[in-house]
Amino acid sequence: MEHEIKHHLTDDVLMGYAAGTLPEAFNLMVATHVSLCDTCRARAESFDALGGEVMAQTPGNDVAMDTDSFAATMSLIAGGAPDEIRMPRDAGSILPGPLQDYVGGGVDAVKWRSVGMGVKQAILPTSRDASARLLFIPAGAAMPDHGHKGTEMTMVLQGAFQDEDDYFARGDVEIADSDLHHTPVADIHEDCICLAVTDAPLEFQGLLPKIAQRFARI
Amino acid sequence: MNDNDAKRMLWVSHMVRIRDTQDQAAFKELFEHFAPRVKGFLIKSGADASLAEECAQEVMATCWHKAHMFDPARASVATWIFTIARNRKIDVLRKQRRPEPEDLGWGPEEDPDQADVMALQQDCEQLGRAIEDLPPAQRELIQRAYFGDLSHSEIAEQTGLPLGTIKSRLRLALERLRHAMK
């Protein structure tokens, strides 16, 4: 394995992923992180086990099937397995498989838009209850200081960044909520590429970023 | 091994029979046990009865078609059917794609170590019993988290469910698999 991941997903996010109750953008974050992190893969699967028990073991959760149900299922089976369309994935890409599906390829296929100061972003197509985007921060550059409504999770895919408290490298997830104002700075050695998801629009301080926010949807 | 553990191993062997010999009798027993529970789960998640019926049939058909993907060293049959039902719920009820993690690059082992299989199945049995033993209010909290009308942090922590053993066992299984692939 590469860099040892130190900053993981929280239990409530992993449980929400297992339950299937998270916004699509958050599911994308979990699938991307779990692709790189066996610890969180095991944690997520243990919440699947909890779901299995909730579904199967709790008394009174069963509802009678229709009388012809088994026969109907056997004819579904006789009809054959539905085709699964899977895009080819490139194991060598810095984008884990689930992200390649949303980008439509590797990092070369990302449609970046500049948001100023060399920072670029690409919004990914997910359901509207939350948003997911890729961020490109030039080596050594700072993101504008911004506060948050709701929850924001940022995971490093390439390079690294540092905020006031900690250092985040490939696979690490920074979790920020409404209390945190922070100014992440990309590590000097390499341009930093991150996946960021949030269930609310970010707030930038100062007028200029506000205008940029209106156009760029950050 | 008690009766409930034996029952779980029986479901595992049913899956193997479905996979290896397309055994319809085994599938019928599996269907009669699990399909009503899948239907109940979908109704509590917000589907009406006819949609839940239709989806439960599809879930059980998927269980047949993907029997070769079931790994008894990493999931109980209940867990596995739950994940299929959950994905169907996201697809049909929430009309979203579900991003899945990268595959580990290999399918389930041809002949997983029976001791590993048994250990994981027993962990799941223990988890199931722990849920049943919870005070009703706490049990309801967990159910609601999975049925989707509650997003609550750290429910499992608060209720003291034995998830830690399963987590570390799955972590070990993943390490072993990664090691075997090197």
Side-chain angles (χ1 to χ4, degrees):
Chain A
M1 299 286 296
E2 21 193 337
H3 152 80
E4 189 200 336
I5 295 171
K6 292 194 187 71
H7 300 276
H8 297 274
L9 295 168
T10 58
D11 270 345
D12 57 325
V13 167
L14 288 170
M15 191 182 196
Y17 183 70
T21 54
L22 296 181
E24 185 177 354
F26 282 32
N27 280 341
L28 179 58
M29 172 59 79
V30 177
T32 303
H33 178 77
V34 162
S35 296
L36 299 177
C37 178
D38 281 354
T39 299
C40 288
R41 191 187 285 264
R43 290 168 70 206
E45 286 181 10
S46 74
F47 284 115
D48 286 345
L50 184 55
E53 296 311 314
V54 167
M55 185 192 78
Q57 291 301 308
T58 324
N61 277 353
D62 52 329
V63 173
M65 299 295 286
D66 295 355
T67 42
D68 61 347
S69 196
F70 183 72
T73 305
M74 288 315 295
S75 44
L76 275 181
I77 288 169
D83 289 335
E84 282 192 47
I85 304 151
R86 274 207 150 181
M87 293 212 324
R89 287 170 167 184
D90 171 11
S93 171
I94 65 150
L95 303 184
L99 265 184
Q100 291 182 34
D101 293 347
Y102 277 77
V103 165
V107 82
D108 294 341
V110 177
K111 293 181 186 68
W112 296 110
R113 278 169 195 274
S114 171
V115 293
M117 321 260 280
V119 177
K120 295 183 284 183
Q121 73 166 2
I123 296 171
L124 302 175
T126 61
S127 62
R128 301 182 69 93
D129 43 358
S131 65
R133 68 223 155 96
L134 289 168
L135 286 172
F136 177 97
I137 307 160
M143 280 289 288
D145 180 23
H146 59 285
H148 302 263
K149 284 179 183 158
T151 302
E152 187 191 39
M153 292 184 274
T154 308
M155 185 179 125
V156 177
L157 298 161
Q158 175 190 291
F161 71 81
Q162 185 134 31
D163 69 8
E164 283 79 352
D165 305 315
D166 249 318
Y167 185 81
F168 298 82
R170 179 166 165 86
D172 284 325
V173 183
E174 186 211 42
I175 299 166
D177 59 23
S178 44
D179 302 329
L180 185 74
H181 275 255
H182 65 164
T183 315
V185 177
D187 191 282
I188 195 73
H189 300 291
E190 197 177 6
D191 295 335
C192 182
I193 296 176
C194 297
L195 171 66
V197 302
T198 179
D199 54 7
L202 305 188
E203 307 168 317
F204 282 93
Q205 295 182 335
L207 179 63
L208 250 174
K210 276 237 167 65
I211 293 170
Q213 187 172 4
R214 194 177 309 152
F215 289 107
R217 284 178 60 196
I218 30 180
Chain B
M1 188 163 78
N2 67 30
D3 285 358
N4 288 329
D5 292 335
K7 188 79 186 172
R8 280 174 193 263
M9 292 306 281
L10 184 71
W11 293 136
V12 169
S13 69
H14 277 35
M15 286 302 303
V16 172
R17 281 159 62 192
I18 294 165
R19 180 192 71 192
D20 292 347
T21 63
Q22 290 77 49
D23 188 327
Q24 286 201 23
F27 182 68
K28 190 157 201 290
E29 281 182 38
L30 207 70
F31 184 94
E32 282 168 358
H33 182 79
F34 285 103
R37 288 165 167 82
V38 171
K39 187 173 176 180
F41 166 69
L42 292 168
I43 287 174
K44 289 204 171 157
S45 303
D48 65 34
S50 75
L51 182 62
E53 167 75 30
E54 189 187 319
C55 290
Q57 291 179 14
E58 287 163 359
V59 167
M60 295 312 293
T62 303
C63 176
W64 172 289
H65 286 307
K66 294 199 170 168
H68 61 285
M69 301 292 290
F70 171 63
D71 184 348
R74 275 176 59 197
S76 73
V77 176
T79 303
W80 194 63
I81 293 178
F82 164 75
T83 61
I84 298 172
R86 184 252 342 261
N87 292 355
R88 199 77 198 119
K89 173 181 96 169
I90 292 173
D91 191 16
V92 172
L93 291 184
R94 304 193 62 204
K95 305 202 183 335
Q96 291 182 7
R97 287 160 80 181
R98 177 177 165 93
E100 291 288 343
E102 263 171 29
D103 296 333
L104 290 168
W106 54 84
E109 286 174 291
E110 193 76 12
D111 274 309
D113 187 331
Q114 282 308 294
D116 291 343
V117 171
M118 181 97 74
L120 184 81
Q121 301 298 321
Q122 284 176 344
D123 282 350
C124 290
E125 176 59 28
Q126 224 176 3
L127 180 60
R129 272 205 308 274
I131 296 171
E132 282 175 44
D133 290 344
L134 284 175
Q138 289 196 346
R139 186 167 64 223
E140 199 192 320
L141 210 61
I142 292 183
Q143 292 190 20
R144 283 171 58 199
Y146 278 89
F147 298 143
D149 53 10
L150 177 79
S151 115
H152 198 285
S153 36
E154 292 157 18
I155 293 170
E157 299 320 88
Q158 288 178 17
T159 50
L161 287 170
L163 273 176
T165 6
I166 298 190
K167 275 182 216 170
S168 32
R169 199 179 302 287
L170 289 169
R171 184 78 179 82
L172 277 174
L174 291 173
E175 268 170 28
R176 230 180 6 249
L177 286 168
R178 292 229 184 260
H179 189 74
M181 289 305 290
K182 275 178 186 161

